[in-house]
Amino acid sequence: MHEEIIPMLQALKEKGYRIGLISNCFSEEAQVIRESPLAPYFDVMCLSYEMGMRKPETEIYAECVRCLGVKPDECLYVGDGGSSELEAARGFGMKTLQACWYLSRREDWPAK
């Protein structure tokens, strides 16, 4: 886990932001996610294994937004871009940002 993630999530929570997680995962991964040190920072976790839907299906975004009690245009969706997630979130009405922090500083960063 990147060392700056927890301080960033803590700062967002202190500012009153609600945070949701949407993840495509299998049963074992869902358990690891729920037991992760990051779990307490999420107000909502929409895990594909548990929900029977996955990114880029609109329903998983809709359920996360509903559980957070916000509108799609009030959300910033941050993701690495896999599973066409950014396009789907944008199509649902969310603002999107591609996460690239996990990549080395190279010129071949994905740009979406």
Side-chain angles (χ1 to χ4, degrees):
M1 175 173 44
H2 196 275
E3 65 188 42
E4 295 174 353
I5 292 175
I6 289 180
M8 177 196 64
L9 291 172
Q10 182 64 43
L12 290 170
K13 296 303 292 178
E14 288 172 2
K15 291 180 186 241
Y17 288 101
R18 296 187 46 77
I19 303 173
L21 172 69
I22 301 174
S23 180
N24 288 350
C25 61
F26 298 104
S27 60
E28 300 82 17
E29 294 168 315
Q31 182 176 348
V32 169
I33 291 167
R34 292 215 175 267
E35 295 172 359
S36 163
L38 302 177
Y41 296 96
F42 296 108
D43 298 294
V44 173
M45 284 195 225
C46 294
L47 307 178
S48 65
Y49 172 77
E50 298 173 350
M51 300 186 73
M53 58 183 94
R54 57 187 295 117
K55 298 179 288 186
E57 295 172 25
T58 302
E59 294 80 11
I60 199 162
Y61 299 92
E63 183 63 13
C64 189
V65 166
R66 185 190 69 74
C67 291
L68 286 170
V70 298
K71 298 175 186 169
D73 65 354
E74 297 173 319
C75 296
L76 174 63
Y77 183 91
V78 180
D80 62 17
S83 304
S84 300
E85 65 181 348
L86 298 173
E87 296 86 349
R90 198 174 309 117
F92 184 61
M94 297 174 163
K95 296 167 205 69
T96 60
L97 178 67
Q98 186 174 21
C100 295
W101 57 265
Y102 57 92
L103 299 173
S104 62
R105 293 239 175 242
R106 298 184 349 196
E107 292 182 19
D108 61 346
W109 279 23
K112 294 186 181 187

